[in-house]
Each structure stands twice: as C-alpha cells, then as structure tokens.
Amino acid sequence: KVISMKAKGYMPVDIAVAPVAGKPEFSAIFAKGAFEKWQSWHGHTAQEVIARTGEYSRSGMQLVDVNAYPTDTGMQFAAIWGDAEWDDHISAIALTKDKFQDQVRRLPAGFVPVSINVASIADITVYSGIFIKDNDFVGEFRYDLTAADLRAYFDRHVDAGYAPFVLATYNLNLQPRYAAVFAKKRPVEVKSNPIFVRQQVSLPTTVGRTLDITPVLQKTQVWCWLAVGEMVFRHYGVRSKNPND
C-alpha cells in the first residue's frame, strides 16, 4: 500500500498497528507534501529503529512516528522518518516504564510530546515517545489511563483550553489502557515597553491631581477613548497626518 500511494505522490504521516487474531494489522494516514524526504519501515527491532534514526539524521531526516507491536518472534516496530525540520527533538524508543518516566522528568523546558506509543507482549511493556522543542504550544500527556481516567482527564483539559492531539490505546495486563496528549497555544507574555514606562509614584488616596493637559470633549457617547488619545497626542505635540480630522 505504501508503495502504491508513494507512486501517487502520497506519504504516510501516521501509522497504527494492532494485533488481530495474533497477527499485526496496519492502518495509516497518507498526505501529500508533508515531507520532501521520507522513509517508512516496519518489522524492525528497537535497535534497528535506533540505528536507522542515526543513519537518516545525517540526511536531514528525523523520527516522526514510531509504533511497537507484538509478534510471534517478539516486539517489532513500524516507524516513519521525514525532514520535519524540527529545531530540537528527543526520541525515547522501547523503554521500560521506569526509564520512560525518568526520561520525561529530565526533559528540558519547552519540550512537548508529538507521539506516544505503548505496547505489551507477555509480561513486557515498552514505552516510546517523540518530544520536540516548541515555544508556541504547551503540551500535557498521560499514559496507563483507564477509560474513566481518560474521560476525566479529557474533560478537565478541554475545560482548561487544551485540545486532544494524540490518543493511543493498548492492553496492559489484559486490561485496556490509554495514552493521551493534549496541547494548547502558549499564552502570550505581555511585556511593558520601557519607552512608555513611567516612574511609579505613590500618592495618598485623599490627594487629587490636576493634569496640565488641555481637555478635549468627546464628540459622541462612545468616543471617550478617542478624546483621551487626542489629548495625549496634543500634549506631546504629535501632529495629525490629516489636518481635516
């Protein structure tokens, strides 16, 4: 399917793998123009994914999606690499839960998850994730959630202005579990322009002040802001570009 879609100018941007009757079943989302250079492989071990990530990085490609899935011969991986042009990113591949948690705790400030994947085989569970440096968005994510946990987490974060970005489901100890990533636009920090910052003066509340500014009457009931602006401009000698106004 990937080869036929590639011939039409499409490339995979997201892959999901789930075992059905003991065999892996693949699903994918294809798009045009997502990357100029890309590679996609499946049936790899974790070590092969790590090796290809290093190899492709020398060609300007980064790991953009990774999925683990159980097979008769052990855990295998499907992955996508592309020239995403991320300034900085960190990949965590096939880690134990403790090592994954440690990796998350040590993430530098400003890194947000763009991919989270969890898979189990027998009594082994592996966690993978891709994190990028992004100053425009704030990301929150959780994993090993029950359905009730996911619902509460979803409602709480949507109410806080987040939107769901990644949702993954998997089995843990034969029970369904979920991983979710939510993101929202980082609030813009408003900073004072030092040119317009005046020295702070503390006056008693009973003291009034009369400013030496020639008053301008507002011309309509809702143009108070315009009258104030005109007073400020006149006081500081800012000339009108249109003398007829």
Side-chain angles (χ1 to χ4, degrees), residues 97-210:
K97 184 175 182 178
D98 289 343
K99 289 184 178 180
F100 186 75
Q101 289 175 334
D102 184 61
Q103 177 80 72
V104 171
R105 282 193 296 266
R106 292 188 292 107
L107 284 173
F111 275 77
V112 296
V114 295
S115 177
I116 298 293
N117 178 259
V118 186
S120 295
I121 182 171
D123 58 347
I124 298 174
T125 302
V126 295
Y127 296 75
S128 303
I130 300 172
F131 306 86
I132 67 170
K133 181 69 177 295
D134 193 325
N135 295 321
D136 294 329
F137 287 88
V138 179
E140 292 280 348
F141 72 100
R142 295 289 187 276
Y143 45 89
D144 292 355
L145 299 173
T146 65
D149 293 337
L150 177 63
R151 182 182 298 276
Y153 184 71
F154 182 96
D155 292 342
R156 184 168 63 251
H157 279 72
V158 169
D159 290 344
Y162 287 83
F165 182 67
V166 175
L167 179 62
T169 181
Y170 53 95
N171 289 322
L172 185 63
N173 298 323
L174 301 181
Q175 297 296 321
R177 291 294 182 265
Y178 302 88
V181 178
F182 286 76
K184 70 176 179 179
K185 194 77 172 177
R186 187 180 298 275
V188 177
E189 182 181 359
V190 179
K191 297 183 179 180
S192 299
N193 190 323
I195 296 177
F196 301 105
V197 174
R198 294 190 176 190
Q199 182 179 0
Q200 297 297 317
V201 179
S202 177
L203 295 174
T205 57
T206 56
V207 176
R209 296 180 65 196
T210 300

Side-chain angles (χ1 to χ4, degrees), residues 229-243:
E230 185 175 347
M231 284 188 285
V232 172
F233 289 160
R234 288 182 181 273
H235 180 74
Y236 286 104
V238 178
R239 297 180 180 273
S240 173
K241 288 186 176 181
N242 188 349

Side-chain angles (χ1 to χ4, degrees), residues 16-34:
V17 190
V20 177
K23 301 294 183 180
E25 295 284 343
F26 295 79
S27 302
I29 298 174
F30 293 85
K32 281 187 176 182

Side-chain angles (χ1 to χ4, degrees), residues 19-24 69-76 120-122:
V20 177
K23 301 294 183 180
Y69 55 95
T71 70
D72 294 340
T73 59
M75 193 71 75
Q76 294 186 350
S120 295
I121 182 171

Side-chain angles (χ1 to χ4, degrees), residues 46-68:
Q47 291 73 22
E48 288 173 326
V49 172
I50 294 171
R52 285 196 182 274
T53 300
E55 174 190 349
Y56 292 149
S57 67
R58 294 187 285 273
S59 301
M61 289 185 287
Q62 299 155 327
L63 181 66
V64 297
D65 189 48
V66 59
N67 288 267

Side-chain angles (χ1 to χ4, degrees), residues 221-232:
Q221 293 183 349
V222 295
W223 280 9
C224 55
W225 58 272
L226 190 58
V228 171
E230 185 175 347
M231 284 188 285
V232 172

